Amino acid sequence: MKDIATGTMMAAVCAEPGTMTLEERPLPDHAPEGWRLVDIAAIGICGTDYHIFEGLHPFLAYPRVMGHELSGCPVDGPDAGRLMVVNPYISCGECRACRREKPNCCARIEVLGVHRDGGMCARIAVPETNLYPADGLSREDAAMVEFLAIGAHAVARSDCGPGDRVLVTGAGPIGLGTAIFARLSGADVHVMDLSRARLDIASRDFGFDRIHRPGDDIMTGNLSEGFDVVFDATGNAKAIEAGFPLVAHGGSTVLVSVVKGDLTFTDAEFHKRESRIIGSRNALKSDFDRVMAAIRSGDVPTGAILSEIVALRDLPARMKPLTHDRDHLVKVIVTP
């Protein structure tokens, strides 16, 4: 929603928890050196966006234009009009992590839609190096790449592969993405969630037939020795702690989600099992590339992922019901 004649655009602004409005803003007409103007093609609504809307994000200042799962086209230059995936993690390029080619965990990272205004609008400026060609993808598919890359990165961090038994706790979008890439690695994947609706989606639409509820007695039979890798995508400290005893000897826990506060575990058991706890944050370009290749090859069922398309102008009215119904949704895409 942009008006070239007047030099304005509409942006969906979360003014305060529970309140989203459409706001007229100047249409960006220049970018800093090394950055590019990008006309937004599609925006995925993330769990982070729901948390911002609910007032549950601990490090956010309102008002905020949300949106970090983005596809779009450069306004000018040699790639003008070419569909791109936007990497929303803006790294400093100078800290130790960046110098060691780990910009996903930059010490001074800024994420679009969280630390600075994001892409729920018609046009933004982003670093040129954060644009990845999305040839062969639809605008909606390209807007799914970022959240899927988080799962792909977690799987890469885990080193899981053929012969490994894997449990993914949390069957929301991030958990489903993690489960998809764990399955593509060759692992035997189980999925756990409190929500029967989410487990039904995981089974019916994504083919995960090894599903469990918290509290199920799953450490029996051929599962009695536990899981080689437990991925947590719940964002719940109690769920993370309940997952530690499910890790097999020599196995790993991968924290895909993040919680505010402390986690506890039994040190004797941790050492006896020679366990690993691995943090996984954001994603690298290689993860974005892996996801795009998997979408192109048909290994990622983007049709099952796409739950609904909402026009930007309708988002203020739709945001509250979407937030309340998100157990029944995988990915909602907003189009400007």
Side-chain angles (χ1 to χ4, degrees):
M1 298 171 67
K2 63 179 183 286
D3 188 328
I4 301 297
T6 62
T8 61
M9 67 177 181
M10 300 305 295
V13 180
C14 189
E16 60 184 11
T19 301
M20 177 170 281
T21 61
L22 283 181
E23 182 178 302
E24 188 174 71
R25 293 194 168 191
L27 184 70
D29 59 3
H30 69 279
E33 184 178 355
W35 290 48
R36 299 283 297 279
L37 293 176
V38 176
D39 280 341
I40 297 299
I43 311 109
I45 299 181
C46 175
T48 297
D49 299 320
Y50 292 125
H51 290 156
I52 292 170
F53 183 74
E54 294 174 303
L56 300 177
H57 198 288
F59 308 114
L60 186 114
Y62 296 88
R64 176 64 71 222
V65 178
M66 301 185 301
H68 63 270
E69 299 179 1
L70 308 171
S71 66
C73 302
V75 172
D76 51 23
D79 288 318
R82 186 181 188 184
L83 186 67
M84 300 280 184
V85 170
V86 177
N87 180 337
Y89 323 129
I90 300 176
S91 55
C92 73
E94 299 174 352
C95 71
R96 182 163 181 80
C98 287
R99 297 196 308 272
R100 300 182 71 201
E101 299 183 353
K102 298 180 180 181
N104 60 303
C105 52
C106 166
R108 294 184 287 276
I109 200 166
E110 290 187 305
V111 180
L112 295 174
V114 180
H115 306 100
R116 59 165 67 203
D117 282 345
M120 285 191 179
C121 58
R123 180 181 291 174
I124 60 171
V126 299
E128 187 170 17
T129 53
N130 285 50
L131 295 174
Y132 309 147
D135 302 338
L137 275 62
S138 70
R139 63 180 184 174
E140 292 84 10
D141 289 354
M144 299 178 192
V145 171
E146 187 272 341
F147 95 84
L148 290 166
I150 291 175
H153 183 70
V155 170
R157 294 273 290 153
S158 76
D159 293 327
C160 74
D164 287 332
R165 183 184 298 135
V166 163
L167 174 66
V168 178
T169 60
I174 298 296
L176 284 172
T178 303
I180 287 168
F181 281 91
R183 181 168 61 189
L184 290 175
S185 78
D188 176 22
V189 180
H190 296 241
V191 179
M192 177 182 286
D193 200 288
L194 271 172
S195 169
R196 173 55 62 184
R198 286 185 173 181
L199 290 177
D200 287 345
I201 290 171
S203 176
R204 180 187 67 240
D205 299 336
F206 295 89
F208 293 105
D209 54 2
R210 296 173 176 86
I211 56 175
H212 311 279
R213 301 284 296 278
D216 289 351
D217 185 13
I218 62 175
M219 298 287 282
T220 59
N222 66 347
L223 297 179
S224 62
E225 293 183 297
F227 295 89
D228 302 297
V229 184
V230 174
F231 293 94
D232 180 84
T234 67
N236 182 285
K238 290 184 177 179
I240 294 171
E241 292 172 355
F244 290 140
L246 303 180
V247 179
H249 284 244
S252 304
T253 296
V254 182
L255 302 181
V256 192
S257 62
V258 61
V259 296
K260 188 177 181 181
D262 298 332
L263 299 172
T264 62
F265 57 89
T266 303
D267 183 63
E269 282 294 325
F270 181 80
H271 274 83
K272 183 175 74 174
R273 302 178 190 211
E274 198 180 53
S275 300
R276 294 191 303 169
I277 299 177
I278 302 169
S280 182
R281 187 181 186 193
N282 300 326
L284 296 167
K285 183 180 184 298
S286 57
D287 303 306
F288 282 77
D289 291 340
R290 184 178 305 111
V291 170
M292 286 192 279
I295 292 174
R296 292 186 188 105
S297 66
D299 289 330
V300 175
T302 54
I305 292 171
L306 179 59
S307 302
E308 187 175 341
I309 297 177
V310 176
L312 182 69
R313 63 179 176 272
D314 298 328
L315 188 59
R318 293 285 295 130
M319 192 66 188
K320 185 174 290 185
L322 290 173
T323 300
H324 290 161
D325 197 38
R326 63 182 183 265
D327 267 13
H328 297 86
L329 303 168
V330 180
K331 185 57 56 178
V332 176
I333 297 291
V334 179
T335 56

